[in-house]
Amino acid sequence: RENFIHLCNPHLEKMKEDILYHFALGTGTHDFPALFGDVKFVCVGGSPSRMKAFITYIAEELGLGSPGCDYPNICAGTDRYAMYKVGPVLSVSHGMGIPSISIMLHELIKLLYHAKCSNITIIRIGTSGGIGLEPGSVVITRQSVDATFKPQFEQVILGKTVIRSTNLDEELAKELMQCSKEIGQFNTVIGNTMCTLDFYEGQGRLDGAICLYNEEEKLQYLKEAYDSGVRNIEMESSVFAAMCNLSGVKAAVVCVTLLNRLEGDQISSSHDVLVEYQQRPQKLVGYFIKKSLGKV
């Protein structure tokens, strides 16, 4: 059964042209079905360079393109986001934090709708701080929770607080977990992900420019998070889950942990170690895409 993108906005039907400003794309200047109609998998992550590395990796894994091929940035007309495509896979950067990924997702979801894409799977691949896990562990998010451990995304719209669900696709999480077992290269868990509005105080760090709490209070908070099921902390998953839910898109979040926050706040691993850690979500999601396409 074809599952198309659901747009929760009746106003778009009245528009003669839809300009996706932050992508430097528009329905009046680009043929969306021709450019993107075959997309089935969308992978999003914070860094443009990481998303370019991912498209190069997945192209090699799927046997598409030629070795050493340079993939052009589809959004080269803007410096806000970067977008790359090979075969049925789209790779898009989203910047850092809820506001940045929210803007990107509004335009990405409209892009997929205008392209008449169906049966789309969107996966956020990224980095995070772990709680009670060895650095390098990969967390597949069960549900995103806020800084009070509630599975919700709260936003003020027209002066009123709107609360939206942040559950993610349970079957997709299980499929990804099975893929990790088949790869057998790194520790992977399914757990809750805490999404915060800030990297420092919002995540209970002691090393920011401002900190008015002590180490004991910090550790008590992080242990409460762990006891509630939280296994990692990042800054995008709540709005990602909420918007994918509203659009009827199957979605997952797969993040590697760069440190165990119960043991410190600063990321001290070497550059080479961090690069290898950051490749783990790519390997897992790449394997999942290959398996989904019958190429494993």
Side-chain angles (χ1 to χ4, degrees):
R1 190 171 67 87
E2 295 292 291
N3 181 27
F4 292 94
I5 303 291
H6 173 65
L7 280 190
C8 297
N9 184 358
H11 305 291
L12 292 173
E13 296 177 9
K14 303 170 187 174
M15 293 168 50
K16 292 181 180 178
E17 180 183 2
D18 190 5
I19 298 170
L20 308 186
Y21 172 72
H22 301 89
F23 284 167
L25 300 171
T27 55
T29 53
H30 296 80
D31 186 342
F32 282 49
L35 288 169
F36 306 107
D38 61 339
V39 169
K40 296 296 178 187
F41 305 94
V42 183
C43 295
V44 303
S47 157
S49 61
R50 197 183 304 153
M51 299 323 291
K52 184 169 186 178
F54 176 74
I55 208 69
T56 303
Y57 172 75
I58 199 66
E60 293 173 359
E61 289 293 295
L62 297 179
L64 300 171
S66 55
C69 179
D70 184 42
Y71 296 93
N73 176 10
I74 297 169
C75 298
T78 176
D79 60 359
R80 294 295 181 186
Y81 304 105
M83 180 186 296
Y84 306 94
K85 181 182 181 297
V86 64
V89 182
L90 197 64
S91 178
V92 192
S93 71
H94 59 58
M96 188 182 296
I98 286 172
S100 185
I101 191 174
S102 172
I103 294 165
M104 188 282 290
L105 285 171
H106 274 283
E107 298 188 13
L108 173 64
I109 289 165
K110 291 198 295 176
L111 179 153
L112 297 170
Y113 174 81
H114 293 314
K116 298 179 170 58
C117 294
S118 64
N119 303 333
I120 293 287
T121 299
I122 302 182
I123 303 177
R124 167 169 141 67
I125 54 177
T127 58
S128 64
I131 303 182
L133 295 174
E134 284 296 309
S137 298
V138 172
V139 179
I140 301 166
T141 304
R142 176 181 290 111
Q143 57 183 192
S144 176
V145 301
D146 64 17
T148 64
F149 320 139
K150 294 176 184 174
Q152 63 184 36
F153 171 63
E154 186 176 304
Q155 184 172 6
V156 177
I157 302 172
L158 301 182
K160 297 177 183 178
T161 299
V162 176
I163 293 175
R164 291 170 174 165
S165 168
T166 54
N167 288 332
L168 288 153
D169 192 280
E170 189 176 342
E171 288 305 311
L172 179 55
K174 289 178 181 176
E175 289 177 43
L176 287 162
M177 188 68 191
Q178 179 58 36
C179 287
S180 182
K181 290 176 181 175
E182 292 173 18
I183 296 172
Q185 294 181 11
F186 40 80
N187 179 47
T188 303
V189 301
I190 294 178
N192 291 348
T193 295
M194 183 162 70
C195 183
T196 66
L197 302 178
D198 164 55
F199 185 81
Y200 287 98
E201 290 179 284
Q203 296 187 10
R205 278 183 162 84
L206 301 173
D207 60 342
I210 299 166
C211 180
L212 303 177
Y213 46 85
N214 60 39
E215 184 170 11
E216 184 181 346
E217 290 170 319
K218 165 206 154 174
L219 288 173
Q220 181 182 348
Y221 176 69
L222 293 179
K223 287 172 182 175
E224 287 175 6
Y226 183 89
D227 290 341
S228 76
V230 172
R231 293 296 175 269
N232 65 333
I233 312 173
E234 46 85 272
M235 296 187 290
E236 293 87 19
S237 59
S238 62
V239 72
F240 173 80
M243 291 182 70
C244 288
N245 279 335
L246 286 169
S247 305
V249 180
K250 191 161 63 170
V253 177
V254 179
C255 289
V256 69
T257 60
L258 300 183
L259 75 167
N260 179 1
R261 287 295 315 288
L262 296 176
E263 297 179 355
D265 295 334
Q266 297 211 323
I267 299 168
S268 56
S269 297
S270 70
H271 173 74
D272 290 345
V273 168
L274 292 176
V275 168
E276 195 278 321
Y277 284 172
Q278 290 173 21
Q279 290 171 348
R280 292 180 178 185
Q282 296 186 21
K283 287 180 180 178
L284 175 50
V285 173
Y287 183 89
F288 164 78
I289 292 173
K290 282 177 67 178
K291 188 176 179 182
S292 300
L293 295 173
K295 297 199 173 193
V296 171

